[in-house]
Structure formats: C-alpha cells, structure tokens
Amino acid sequence: MCQKFEQVTPVQRRLSEVRVTAATVLGPELIAPTIRELALEATHEMATIAPGATHTVEQIREAQLLDAEMFERGVSSRSIYLSSVRKDKRTLAHVDWLNEQGAEVRTAAKLPIRMILVDNSVAVLPSNTVDAQDGIIVHRNAGTVLALSKLFEMTWASAIPLGMTRTPDQKRLTDEEHAILQLVALGKTDLQIGERIGMSDRSVRRRVHDLEQRMGANSRFETIYRAAKSGLI
C-alpha cells in the first residue's frame, strides 16, 4: 500500500518563513514579559510612540525599572507622547527622570499608532488599536520594520520637544519655550502654536509675553532677534 506524501513547494516554504517574522502575543500577562525581553535585547535604541493620555503610577514605575536597565547598557531612548501629557504632573515628573538619564521626549497633538521600535530591527504594534492590553504583534520583517521606522521619524520630526534644553546662556529655556520661539519665528499664530504644543492660544500669548520680558524686548520681532543673537534658537 503506497503512502502519499505532500511535497512542499518553494512558495509554501517561503510563506512559512514569512509567517514567523510576525508573532502575536495575547493578554496583559504575556505582553509585559515580551516587551521586557525585547528591551533586554536592545543594544542601540528603543523608540516609542505612546498615544495614552496619562500614565498610572504602576506603569511609570515598571517603565523606569526597565529603562534603567537599558540606560546602564548605553541604550538610548526616544519617546513621543500626546500633547495632553503636558498637563499631567505625574507624567511630567517621569519625563524629568528620563531627561536626567539622557532620554529624549517629544509630544504631538495627534499620534498615528502605539508603537515600539527596538534597534530598528523589531517593531511592536497593538493587535487591537482600541485596547492595547488585548495583545501585541511583534514584527521582524525588514520591510515592515523599515516602513514603521520611517513613520516614527516623520512623527518625531514634527513633534515638539518636552523637557529642558541646556544652553550656554544663563537664561535657560524649557523645550516648550524653545518650541514656541521657533514657531513664532516661523510666523505661526497663537492658535496655530497652541494646536502644535497642546495649549490654549491665551496660554501661548502669555508665554510669549513672559519671553519678551525675559529678553528685554518690546515686540515679538525683537524677542526673536534677541533669542537668535543669544544662540537660544
């Protein structure tokens, strides 16, 4: 009696190889260990887009424990949050801690999707965009990771820095103030600036007035001139 064997074609073999480049991990009890393992694999950079409006004490504590291990190994970190976190004291305290470790943080009014990039070789996306705790998909396909890396860089380029900018001048500017001055220099209105950095146009107007006083200027034009002359922008 003859046995019938199915022959695996080159196409089927290739499809099998492609499938293993994307692994789905379901449930919060497996998500955290998976991300921790990926972080331990990092040798160059962890880049994150985090659309969540605020962060709990427990989330921040876990993140700092994980980040501390990476920073000790010399791994750099870049994160992009929603502009609304600028009003959350708990998150701002976390950002201060990140800045002290040398990490960079920026904010944007809108973010495309939750994402983690590890050394530009692994990308982590949510399996459910409504509930991030439902599951994640770990991508290792070079083309997919490259596309997501490009998306991150585009988002990063248009995001506003959050934290402190160290300048040689004694009049140190926060990254928010630095961003406001840059946007004023570009001729943006208070409303447009507010939309970019997540504050009301009235608050922007007040910040610009404060900067004018600090610069000893009598107008926005003079403020920009003095800031540029001092090397602040």
Side-chain angles (χ1 to χ4, degrees):
M1 187 174 181
C2 297
Q3 290 183 323
K4 188 176 181 180
F5 295 95
E6 293 185 4
Q7 184 177 2
V8 179
T9 67
V11 173
Q12 290 174 319
R13 187 179 299 109
R14 180 57 185 158
L15 286 175
S16 176
E17 292 172 356
V18 170
R19 288 192 188 99
V20 300
T21 62
T24 300
V25 178
L26 299 177
E29 67 281 356
L30 294 179
I31 293 175
T34 300
I35 293 177
R36 187 177 301 111
E37 183 178 339
L38 291 172
L40 291 174
E41 292 178 6
T43 59
H44 174 59
E45 181 187 59
M46 285 279 284
T48 305
I49 294 180
T54 58
H55 300 80
T56 66
V57 173
E58 186 61 29
Q59 287 174 329
I60 291 175
R61 184 183 297 113
E62 291 180 359
Q64 289 184 351
L65 288 173
L66 191 60
D67 290 342
E69 294 178 1
M70 292 194 308
F71 296 142
E72 287 180 3
R73 301 198 314 273
V75 178
S76 61
S77 170
R78 287 188 293 164
S79 302
I80 311 175
Y81 298 145
L82 281 174
S83 298
S84 57
V85 303
R86 291 176 178 270
K87 302 175 184 178
D88 184 69
K89 293 182 179 180
R90 191 162 50 223
T91 302
L92 290 177
H94 175 52
V95 171
D96 287 341
W97 180 85
L98 287 172
N99 288 160
E100 290 172 0
Q101 315 308 312
E104 296 181 79
V105 180
R106 295 187 178 186
T107 64
K110 296 180 180 179
L111 293 175
I113 190 172
R114 184 178 296 276
M115 179 195 310
I116 299 174
L117 293 169
V118 184
D119 294 338
N120 281 333
S121 60
V122 180
V124 180
L125 297 178
S127 61
N128 182 345
T129 56
V130 177
D131 184 3
Q133 293 300 310
D134 188 47
I136 57 174
I137 303 176
V138 181
H139 295 272
R140 295 182 183 273
N141 176 271
T144 301
V145 175
L146 177 61
L148 292 170
S149 297
K150 295 292 185 183
L151 176 60
F152 177 88
E153 294 300 341
M154 290 174 60
T155 307
W156 179 262
S158 61
I160 303 298
L162 177 61
M164 288 296 296
T165 296
R166 293 173 174 78
T167 68
D169 192 282
Q170 290 184 350
K171 300 175 181 178
R172 295 203 306 175
L173 299 177
T174 66
D175 280 335
E176 187 176 82
E177 291 170 335
H178 187 261
I180 288 174
L181 285 177
Q182 286 185 316
L183 293 170
V184 169
L186 291 173
K188 301 297 184 182
T189 66
D190 293 339
L191 182 60
Q192 290 172 324
I193 295 172
E195 289 175 347
R196 283 290 302 275
I197 65 177
M199 67 171 55
S200 68
D201 56 337
R202 181 179 299 178
S203 295
V204 171
R205 193 154 47 248
R206 185 171 59 251
R207 296 293 179 87
V208 173
H209 177 69
D210 290 342
L211 287 167
E212 286 179 0
Q213 291 185 320
R214 286 168 58 184
M215 299 288 175
N218 296 312
S219 67
R220 292 192 175 202
F221 177 81
E222 187 179 357
T223 301
I224 297 304
Y225 171 78
R226 287 176 178 268
K229 189 175 181 180
S230 300
L232 297 177
I233 59 172

